[in-house]
Amino acid sequence: MDEPLIHILPEHIANQIAAGEVVQRPESVVKELVENALDAGSSTITVFVREGGKALVHVLDNGCGMSRADLELVLRRHATSKIRSLDDLHRLRTLGFRGEALASIASVADVEIITRRSNDEHGWRLISQPLKPHRIEPADCSAGTQVIVRNLFFDVPARRKFLRSDTTELRYISETMIRYGLSYPELSWKFHDGNSMVFDVQPQSLLERIDSLFGADIAESLVPVDYTSDLVRIEGYIGLPALARTTKASQYLFLNHRPIVNRALNHAIYQGYEHLIEKSAHPFYVLFLWLDPERVDVNVHPQKHEVKFDDERAMYHAMLEAVLGSMREHDLIPHLRVREAESVAPLVSAQSATNPQPLLVNRLTGEIVSLQQPATKQSRLPSNQSLRTEPLRWRTATSEHLPSLYNRPVTNELEQRTVEPHVLPRMWQMHNKYIFVQTDDGIVIIDQHIAHERILYERALDAMERATPERTQRLMFPVEVELTARELAIFREVEHDLHRLGYECRLVQGRSTVEIAAVPIEIASGKEAESLREILDQYAEYQTIRPASARDNLAASFGCRAAIKAGDPLSPAQMQELVAELFRCRTPEVCPHGRPVMIHFPLRELDRRFGRTS
Ligand code: ADP
Ligand code: MG
């Protein structure tokens, strides 16, 4: 019989191969040892390196320590105390679990481990060199574990050759140490290179930690982020636009403590800064995402930080909301603050005196029509206090002007809002397309179509949730609209919600025709049939490009189709109303598809461009 060609690799070779993945450079050793120290529940972790970690990586912790029996196993491949079954993997809360790190490191470097559990009388020292049997002896040491890794890749010239200069390797290690320092501000960290201390930090708040690691200049130019949804909690700090740099170095994203890279989330953050920083600039951020560990796949490559989420789109939106929300709250996004001296009396005041009801622009007549505010909208601004966090702040002579315009009573559905001769901002419509609004500190340019789209979108969503039909206009004579098979299928799917939007319509028995008896108030007369067909078509289009919920799509389709268009001239009163309505939206800055609704030009930016220094 022939000798088999296949044979099982000796453990040492298997470990060296694994080391190829786990240990690429001294920084990987630091990372693995620090993660073990974290998993051991340490509160103080100290890291010493020499020659960029090539000569020495020494990590000390005050964690749980190991027994002699554990120490005996620790260098064996797949030796781990962290999981016993596949089920455990899904509940994993530790950073390591493969049981590969120490075995891999010990196959390419000299390793010494000194460890003691706090209740043991003395500790143990393990001494290991590649290819040699290790030995274990009693040791006199403090509770916790020290792992000393010397001469990395000493016997593996091919790998050693690929290491960079000491300074470069040290830079990798420092980056990693900064990341841990940020990720665990509640722990003490000490980091030394050769004989010099790189940092030594005590337990702190995250902001204090950022201050310790990056300096006060940065710590003082940050805005906190704190966002919670069913899906995820996002917290941390984002830098003011002025902190943006030409390199991406200062961006830290953590998922349940792990540093991660994710293009979609990164894009969402940049999206939040759109128009606030230059295209080539990179914002500063330190953000933490907290997700149920069961919903994250941690079984990624040990050196890869890329993560994938079940629902990337939802995560994207959560991140965008988180960033925009905190910018809005902290004055980074324009709010229409108007200086009293520069403002004008509103042009709607004359009409509103005789018409004490809420107002809305009707695009078909160009008139201002009365508007019944949805109940849910009212609850959005329940008290004076909430105004502080709302983006719209009209600065007027006396503060009691505020409530009457933006702080409407919650009690009365058909509430009576009179627009008094307030101080309202100056606005101009340009090219029947853009509305320019002078603000306290510059100018805001609003795209009238996108703004109206946002307003109608939110209103449609509210209407569908409320289940009471939106305001409708009843038609004198019902109109019929002939639908294609595809439109018909969509009609059936969304019929119920169309009613809630204000379409009173039904399928004519035995035909592919829909009869419309009433339409939402925003629909121009003569456009009833067309509007319905357009909404159905738009819905079909969105369905393919934005996998959102059916309702979300319908609301977006309605918003897109019923909104005033670029090219529609607006009266001053219509502009005022549109802008006011816009700022009552939950997310006035972006349209349902993420396009910006407005662009802010701060005065200081104009001054800068014109070379004005004061
Ligand atoms: P993993 O972390 O994937 O379990 P490692 O090879 O990194 O695999 O470590 C193997 C085991 O050694 C760990 O599961 C843990 O039980 C033990 N261990 C390693 N480092 C420490 C430490 N600093 N303190 C306590 N136990 C440790
Ligand atoms: Mg480990």
Side-chain angles (χ1 to χ4, degrees):
M1 223 173 52
D2 289 342
E3 279 281 301
L5 291 173
I6 297 175
H7 58 266
I8 305 293
L9 287 175
E11 179 157 1
H12 173 71
I13 297 187
N15 283 339
Q16 276 210 352
I17 293 171
E21 287 184 16
V22 180
V23 189
Q24 265 133 21
R25 50 179 11 107
E27 178 272 335
S28 342
V29 174
V30 171
K31 170 179 173 287
E32 293 296 339
L33 299 186
V34 166
E35 295 202 339
N36 282 346
L38 288 166
D39 285 345
S42 314
S43 62
T44 298
I45 299 175
T46 304
V47 176
F48 287 100
V49 300
R50 276 188 206 286
E51 294 173 28
K54 294 173 197 168
L56 172 82
V57 172
H58 182 170
V59 177
L60 291 86
D61 69 47
N62 62 350
C64 62
M66 278 177 272
S67 66
R68 189 183 195 292
D70 281 338
L71 201 54
E72 197 62 66
L73 287 172
V74 85
L75 297 186
R76 296 286 300 277
R77 194 134 174 259
H78 306 306
T80 180
S81 56
K82 295 165 195 172
I83 58 170
R84 284 181 185 274
S85 70
L86 259 185
D87 267 0
D88 293 347
L89 196 53
H90 304 298
R91 286 188 288 272
L92 198 72
R93 274 154 219 274
T94 54
L95 295 160
F97 61 88
R98 293 163 197 268
E100 276 186 332
L102 287 175
S104 303
I105 294 167
S107 76
V108 291
D110 300 341
V111 172
E112 187 178 336
I113 303 176
I114 305 161
T115 184
R116 180 167 75 84
R117 297 183 299 183
S118 60
N119 290 332
D120 290 352
E121 252 168 47
H122 64 83
W124 299 95
R125 175 195 317 270
L126 175 150
I127 296 164
S128 149
Q129 285 188 310
L131 285 174
K132 291 190 189 148
H134 65 253
R135 64 191 156 86
I136 295 180
E137 60 195 33
D140 193 14
C141 56
S142 49
T145 303
Q146 305 184 36
V147 181
I148 303 156
V149 177
R150 295 192 180 89
N151 304 325
L152 181 68
F153 298 142
F154 189 73
D155 285 332
V156 201
R159 302 292 304 281
R160 197 170 177 89
K161 213 172 62 203
F162 280 102
L163 296 183
R164 312 276 296 271
S165 68
D166 292 0
T167 21
T168 306
E169 294 298 340
L170 178 66
R171 213 186 55 231
Y172 286 123
I173 296 173
S174 304
E175 258 308 309
T176 294
M177 288 304 298
I178 288 175
R179 253 186 244 121
Y180 284 118
L182 287 174
S183 181
Y184 295 87
E186 68 278 18
L187 305 187
S188 294
W189 294 91
K190 299 184 202 324
F191 174 37
H192 298 258
D193 161 47
N195 295 324
S196 63
M197 193 264 285
V198 184
F199 60 76
D200 181 345
V201 287
Q202 298 303 308
Q204 295 168 305
S205 70
L206 177 61
L207 190 58
E208 288 164 342
R209 183 57 57 87
I210 294 174
D211 189 329
S212 301
L213 297 179
F214 297 104
D217 280 358
I218 289 194
E220 281 162 11
S221 308
L222 301 178
V223 171
V225 173
D226 192 350
Y227 168 93
T228 312
S229 73
D230 297 345
L231 181 68
V232 61
R233 181 175 157 84
I234 303 174
E235 55 179 354
Y237 292 91
I238 54 176
L240 292 176
L243 267 193
R245 291 281 143 33
T246 48
T247 67
K248 293 186 183 176
S250 308
Q251 303 186 333
Y252 300 90
L253 193 58
F254 302 96
L255 170 63
N256 299 349
H257 275 308
R258 279 168 191 274
I260 59 155
V261 177
N262 178 279
R263 283 191 54 202
L265 290 181
N266 203 49
H267 188 269
I269 299 169
Y270 276 73
Q271 185 72 36
Y273 277 92
E274 221 199 353
H275 312 302
L276 294 178
I277 60 175
E278 309 224 343
K279 277 269 179 286
S280 57
H282 303 283
F284 176 97
Y285 56 82
V286 179
L287 290 172
F288 291 80
L289 281 80
W290 303 107
L291 264 169
D292 180 350
E294 303 211 8
R295 299 181 68 164
V296 190
D297 181 14
V298 293
N299 201 3
V300 284
H301 190 285
Q303 294 302 320
K304 278 189 193 142
H305 303 300
E306 272 135 22
V307 291
K308 277 212 71 81
F309 300 103
D310 296 350
D311 191 346
E312 289 259 316
R313 190 167 286 270
M315 287 297 290
Y316 179 94
H317 282 288
M319 183 55 94
L320 184 60
E321 285 276 316
V323 170
L324 285 178
S326 95
M327 288 183 167
R328 211 178 297 141
E329 230 173 274
H330 295 89
D331 291 10
L332 296 194
I333 290 193
H335 26 191
L336 305 184
R337 282 179 306 189
V338 183
R339 272 190 219 289
E340 192 193 0
E342 294 168 4
S343 35
V344 292
L347 290 130
V348 282
S349 56
Q351 278 143 309
S352 57
T354 53
N355 177 9
Q357 294 210 340
L359 307 173
L360 179 72
V361 181
N362 182 327
R363 102 173 146 98
L364 63 152
T365 58
E367 273 171 16
I368 299 174
V369 296
S370 87
L371 155 71
Q372 175 193 334
Q373 283 296 322
T376 51
K377 283 208 154 189
Q378 294 180 357
S379 56
R380 245 181 259 151
L381 279 180
S383 69
N384 272 334
Q385 268 153 8
S386 71
L387 277 168
R388 257 192 282 136
T389 55
E390 282 294 315
L392 182 62
R393 283 174 241 180
W394 308 78
R395 209 202 281 166
T396 54
T398 53
S399 59
E400 71 260 22
H401 284 134
L402 276 169
S404 61
L405 186 56
Y406 290 105
N407 198 18
R408 288 154 295 141
V410 190
T411 44
N412 191 350
E413 259 274 332
L414 236 175
E415 126 294 316
Q416 311 281 295
R417 176 162 65 84
T418 42
V419 179
E420 290 162 31
H422 291 298
V423 191
L424 287 173
R426 292 177 187 228
M427 302 185 189
W428 304 265
Q429 189 190 31
M430 299 281 161
H431 299 279
N432 291 342
K433 201 153 62 169
Y434 297 114
I435 301 172
F436 282 57
V437 186
Q438 178 178 319
T439 66
D440 208 10
D441 61 349
I443 192 163
V444 168
I445 306 170
I446 296 172
D447 182 307
Q448 65 186 41
H449 168 70
I450 303 180
H452 201 203
E453 212 178 329
R454 171 43 85 177
I455 296 166
L456 295 180
Y457 166 76
E458 290 201 5
R459 198 182 295 157
L461 275 184
D462 287 347
M464 287 187 271
E465 255 152 49
R466 249 193 354 262
T468 47
E470 260 295 25
R471 290 149 297 119
T472 55
Q473 337 173 45
R474 189 152 289 286
L475 305 179
M476 199 106 71
F477 306 102
V479 297
E480 290 197 342
V481 50
E482 180 82 26
L483 299 181
T484 65
R486 181 165 171 246
E487 288 164 349
L488 207 63
I490 295 170
F491 177 80
R492 289 214 177 86
E493 192 185 321
V494 299
E495 182 173 4
H496 194 63
D497 280 329
L498 278 172
H499 293 166
R500 295 180 174 187
L501 280 184
Y503 279 96
E504 231 180 272
C505 47
R506 61 178 190 90
L507 217 85
V508 181
Q509 203 71 47
R511 289 166 54 197
S512 55
T513 303
V514 170
E515 188 188 271
I516 307 174
V519 294
I521 198 148
E522 290 83 7
I523 303 301
S525 87
K527 300 257 167 136
E528 297 83 3
E530 191 183 321
S531 75
L532 182 66
R533 187 180 292 123
E534 279 179 353
I535 288 169
L536 296 176
D537 290 346
Q538 187 73 62
Y539 182 88
E541 194 185 321
Y542 283 159
Q543 240 181 355
T544 59
I545 57 168
R546 52 195 299 272
S549 75
R551 277 203 174 155
D552 196 80
N553 268 345
L554 187 62
S557 308
F558 174 70
C560 177
R561 289 306 171 165
I564 52 168
K565 301 276 184 291
D568 291 348
L570 299 179
S571 73
Q574 290 173 319
M575 281 189 270
Q576 301 277 8
E577 193 54 40
L578 186 74
V579 172
E581 280 289 315
L582 175 65
F583 277 90
R584 283 186 202 117
C585 286
R586 283 176 290 253
T587 312
E589 296 83 13
V590 283
C591 88
H593 332 299
R595 276 152 70 201
V597 172
M598 62 185 107
I599 295 175
H600 182 215
F601 277 104
L603 213 48
R604 43 164 214 288
E605 174 65 17
L606 293 176
D607 288 347
R608 192 180 67 81
R609 291 194 184 210
F610 283 110
R612 242 177 225 282
T613 42
S614 61

